[in-house]
């Protein structure tokens, strides 16, 4: 297990990619620990003064006016975590939980939360032992922070709840004992600092972002295969067209297509054809997928800021001793970019579905009807396209913005919430749908290339075709379809097509 040396407030996109992909250990610089200790000393001074300070010596939400005796401050924090652990549904995936734990400890380590170093060290120890809290996926409205899921994330620190450890779901106390860890007794504000924050919504959105990026990369490669399968023109990818418009994502995506489509016999074979223009699903790929890339770019910027953010409340200012009560726990930025990412996912799948429809329509693609050699006796890709259409339609419904919804909670104290957690969580389903649509197109476009033999395509397109043919043979007659869709989707999920691009789309820059 690799150790990542992380600087709170300076987490990078590459580090987020690594945390998402594998279990890691975490270490922090020594000066970070000093600022954490100073923040805790500032908190102790506030407690000793005895003046009401939200969440430190008062109740929470609508109960904020109730002051709590100093002798009960530890009980207050334990009660908070226990009562707020009210999530339901299936457990969040391990990579989401791991990322959320790291985002939480980095936020606490910024020195605004007043927690003891031991709280942060406990998360680091759990990560080193690969002990991951069991967090139900549902129960947060994205303000005041991801309260329920973060309560489940925090329960193991006090020896309660459940965790995943060495492949099993165990009571936290049992797993912690096996790893030589003793539960913490929380002190003033520590429970609130653990629960206030956007780390679950942010982790879900970051996972959705990177999955959407991989689907976009695969869509570009599969789209290139479809261009040659349908004897499409390369002119729409000419750099001059895209530079004249100047949209960053469009320019970059067009450049990726030019890199994929070169030195193709198939392209040269129709140099003198009478087709004037291709359908939009071929011709406008840079414009459509470029716009999707722009949305992912924006999402990456906002989510990287949120990954580095302090989303606790209240915040302590050790230099002045002030306690500032605000609303950094409100996840509206995450909700809005998750909605934008959802649009990009839906459009990536929608465009792919249109290319499948084009390929099976012999009047447009000039390929055999439904990509079968014996149309009528055989149905070919007829119902595989229906599956793609069904998934594209489902994504249209799921793309409805979650951030425009709000339901007041906590007796109207928390009267406008972000719904960021659902906004981000639904990205997983949408990405799975788009991956399956792309799998159908991957099969269809590859069949189109096979039907054009002996002519060959570009080196990159032939590589994409060979990846598929290693697992899925050419269609010589009708056969059961779903295993092939599963195999093609797995290749996309594994990044085999994305690897054919020089770099991930979010890492591309204009010259």
């Amino acid at each position: 297990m690799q150790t990542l040396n992380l600087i709170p407030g300076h987490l990078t996109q590459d580090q987020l990619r690594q945390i998402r992909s594998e279990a890691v250990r975490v270490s922090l610089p020594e000066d970070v620990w000093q600022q954490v200790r100073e923040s805790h000393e500032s908190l102790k001074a506030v407690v000793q003064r005895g003046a009401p300070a939200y969440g430190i010596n008062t109740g929470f939400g609508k109960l904020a006016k109730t002051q709590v005796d100093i002798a009960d401050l530890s009980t207050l924090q334990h009660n908070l975590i226990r009562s707020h652990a009210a999530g339901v549904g299936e457990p969040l995936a391990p990579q989401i939980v791991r990322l959320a734990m790291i985002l939480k400890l980095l936020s606490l380590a910024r020195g605004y939360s007043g927690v003891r170093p031991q709280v942060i060290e406990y998360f680091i120890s759990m990560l080193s032992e690969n002990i991951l809290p069991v967090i139900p996926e549902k129960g947060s409205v994205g303000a005041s922070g991801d309260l329920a899921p973060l309560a489940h994330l925090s329960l193991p620190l006090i020896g309660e709840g459940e965790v995943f450890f060495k492949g099993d779901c165990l009571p936290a106390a049992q797993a912690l004992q096996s790893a030589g860890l003793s539960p913490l007794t929380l002190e003033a504000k520590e429970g609130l600092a653990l629960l206030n924050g956007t780390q679950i919504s942010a982790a879900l959105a970051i996972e959705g972002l990177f999955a959407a990026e991989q689907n976009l990369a695969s869509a570009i490669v599969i789209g290139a295969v479809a261009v040659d399968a349908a004897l499409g023109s390369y002119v729409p990818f000419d750099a001059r067209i895209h530079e004249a418009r100047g949209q960053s994502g469009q320019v970059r995506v067009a450049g990726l297509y030019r890199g994929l489509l070169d030195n193709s016999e198939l392209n040269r074979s129709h140099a003198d054809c009478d087709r004037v223009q291709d359908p939009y699903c071929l011709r406008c790929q840079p414009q459509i997928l470029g716009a999707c890339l722009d949305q992912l770019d924006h999402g990456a910027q906002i989510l990287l800021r949120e990954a580095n953010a302090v989303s606790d409340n209240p915040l302590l200012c050790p230099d002045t001793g002030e306690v500032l009560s605000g609303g950094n726990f409100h996840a509206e930025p995450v909700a809005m970019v998750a909605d934008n990412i959802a649009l990009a996912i839906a459009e990536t799948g929608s465009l792919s579905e249109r290319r499948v429809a084009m390929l099976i329509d012999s009047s447009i693609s000039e390929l055999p009807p439904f990509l079968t050699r014996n149309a009528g006796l055989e149905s070919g890709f007829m119902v595989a396209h229906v599956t793609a259409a069904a998934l594209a339609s489902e994504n249209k419904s799921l793309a409805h913005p979650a951030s425009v919804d709000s339901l007041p909670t906590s007796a109207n104290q928390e009267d406008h919430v972000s719904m960021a957690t659902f906004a981000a969580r639904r990205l997983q389903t949408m990405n799975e749908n788009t991956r399956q649509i792309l799998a159908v197109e991957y099969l269809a476009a590859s069949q189109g290339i096979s039907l054009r033999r002996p002519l060959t395509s570009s080196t990159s397109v032939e590589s994409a075709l060979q990846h598929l043919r290693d697992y899925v043979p050419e269609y010589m007659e009708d056969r059961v379809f779903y295993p092939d869709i599963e195999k093609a989707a797995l290749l996309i999920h594994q990044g085999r097509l994305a690897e054919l691009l020089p770099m991930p789309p979010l890492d591309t820059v204009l010259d």
Side-chain angles (χ1 to χ4, degrees):
M1 193 186 298
Q2 185 176 348
T3 298
L4 286 182
N5 301 306
L6 302 179
I7 302 174
H10 297 279
L11 192 63
T12 68
Q13 186 165 281
D14 285 342
Q15 288 170 332
L16 288 173
R17 289 188 194 277
Q18 185 171 355
I19 294 165
R20 173 184 180 248
S21 64
E22 61 183 352
V24 295
R25 293 187 175 91
V26 171
S27 69
L28 303 178
E30 179 52 39
D31 61 337
V32 168
W33 295 110
Q34 180 58 33
Q35 69 188 22
V36 171
R37 287 188 287 268
E38 291 174 358
S39 176
H40 182 59
E41 290 301 316
S42 176
L43 174 67
K44 288 167 64 176
V46 172
V47 172
Q48 290 302 317
R49 287 200 299 268
Y54 174 72
I56 298 173
N57 56 12
T58 73
F60 308 101
K62 195 74 169 181
L63 303 175
K65 294 181 180 179
T66 303
Q67 190 160 355
V68 178
D69 189 88
I70 192 170
D72 294 325
L73 296 187
S74 178
T75 301
L76 175 69
Q77 302 304 311
H78 286 77
N79 286 346
L80 177 69
I81 291 176
R82 291 172 180 139
S83 66
H84 284 47
V88 298
E90 295 298 313
L92 292 176
Q95 71 269 22
I96 303 294
V97 177
R98 181 170 57 243
L99 179 54
M101 291 173 71
I102 293 174
L103 297 184
K104 173 55 74 176
L105 76 87
L106 290 175
S107 178
L108 298 176
R110 290 283 302 275
Y112 291 93
S113 298
V115 303
R116 293 167 295 158
Q118 293 95 309
V119 175
I120 300 169
E121 289 168 346
Y122 209 93
F123 278 124
I124 292 174
S125 297
M126 289 178 65
L127 288 164
S128 295
E129 299 293 336
N130 203 22
I131 298 175
L132 301 178
V134 175
I135 304 176
E137 63 181 356
K138 299 177 183 179
S140 174
V141 295
S144 159
D146 293 318
L147 295 173
L150 286 174
H152 286 274
L153 181 142
S154 304
L155 278 174
L157 276 68
I158 60 174
E160 300 181 21
E162 295 178 311
V163 297
F164 291 113
F165 181 54
K166 294 184 177 179
D168 294 318
C169 179
L170 301 172
Q174 180 182 337
L176 295 170
Q177 185 178 25
S178 298
L181 297 173
S182 300
L184 292 176
T185 300
L186 299 179
E187 296 186 1
K189 193 184 179 293
E190 289 180 338
L192 182 61
L194 289 166
L195 267 59
N196 256 338
T198 63
Q199 287 80 28
I200 300 296
S201 295
L204 285 164
I206 290 166
E207 172 67 21
L209 170 74
F210 288 141
E213 178 193 32
Q214 185 176 79
N215 278 340
L216 179 65
S218 301
I220 292 169
V221 175
I222 295 168
V225 180
V227 168
D228 259 7
L231 301 182
S233 172
Y234 289 5
V235 173
F237 309 110
D238 190 300
R240 292 167 294 184
I241 295 173
H242 307 286
E243 289 166 0
R245 192 178 201 182
Q247 292 288 356
S248 170
Q250 176 180 328
V251 172
R252 291 149 62 196
V253 168
L256 293 173
Y257 275 102
R258 289 195 300 277
L260 293 166
L261 294 168
D262 65 334
N263 195 28
S264 164
E265 286 182 353
L266 279 166
N267 180 253
R268 291 193 293 272
S269 73
H270 61 95
D272 299 320
C273 71
D274 59 359
R275 188 187 300 177
V276 178
Q277 287 187 325
D278 292 326
Y280 288 179
C281 66
L282 294 178
R283 185 171 20 130
C284 298
Q285 289 184 84
Q287 288 81 1
I288 298 167
L289 297 183
C292 293
L293 178 55
D294 284 335
Q295 293 304 313
L296 298 187
D297 273 338
H298 175 65
Q301 294 171 21
I302 299 297
L303 292 174
L304 185 59
R305 289 179 205 149
E306 196 67 16
N308 284 295
V310 177
S311 51
D312 187 9
N313 182 65
L315 302 184
L316 294 161
C317 297
D319 52 342
T320 66
E322 292 176 278
V323 179
L324 306 178
S325 184
N328 280 0
F329 51 71
H330 201 292
E332 194 78 2
V334 179
M336 285 192 168
V337 297
D339 283 343
N340 289 342
I341 292 169
L343 295 176
I345 296 169
E347 282 296 88
T348 300
S350 175
L351 184 63
S352 177
E353 181 276 327
R354 287 291 81 205
R355 288 194 298 266
V356 176
M358 176 273 302
L359 287 166
I360 64 176
D361 186 342
S362 58
S363 68
I364 301 174
S365 67
E366 300 175 16
L367 288 162
F370 300 102
L371 304 175
T372 180
R373 291 179 167 83
N374 198 355
L377 178 63
E378 298 173 358
S379 297
F381 278 74
M382 182 184 295
V383 177
H385 169 249
V386 173
T387 295
L391 294 169
S393 182
E394 183 175 312
N395 270 357
K396 292 175 186 178
S397 295
L398 288 170
H400 180 83
S403 59
V404 298
D405 187 25
S406 179
L407 280 174
T409 59
S410 191
N412 282 309
Q413 174 74 5
E414 298 159 5
D415 58 351
H416 186 284
V417 298
S418 71
M419 299 298 177
T421 322
F422 169 69
R425 179 167 54 81
R426 64 59 146 97
L427 299 181
Q428 176 180 348
T429 300
M430 295 187 68
N431 273 315
E432 289 172 354
N433 287 345
T434 290
R435 188 180 305 120
Q436 300 287 353
I437 297 168
L438 290 169
V440 173
E441 187 195 356
Y442 190 12
L443 296 168
S446 297
Q447 180 71 3
I449 296 289
S450 295
L451 291 168
R452 301 288 188 189
R453 295 302 192 210
L455 297 175
T456 59
S457 184
S458 68
T459 300
S460 296
V461 168
E462 292 292 337
S463 295
L465 179 59
Q466 188 56 51
H467 284 331
L468 183 67
R469 290 291 176 251
D470 287 342
Y471 300 93
V472 179
E474 179 183 348
Y475 293 88
M476 306 306 294
E477 59 186 3
D478 277 350
R479 62 174 184 257
V480 177
F481 225 109
Y482 74 88
D484 296 343
I485 298 175
E486 291 175 353
K487 291 172 185 175
L490 181 60
L491 289 171
I492 294 168
H493 182 61
Q494 292 173 336
R496 298 292 298 278
L497 294 181
E499 291 170 357
L500 295 175
L501 298 183
M503 65 188 70
L506 288 173
D507 293 346
T508 61
V509 295
L510 291 176
D511 296 331

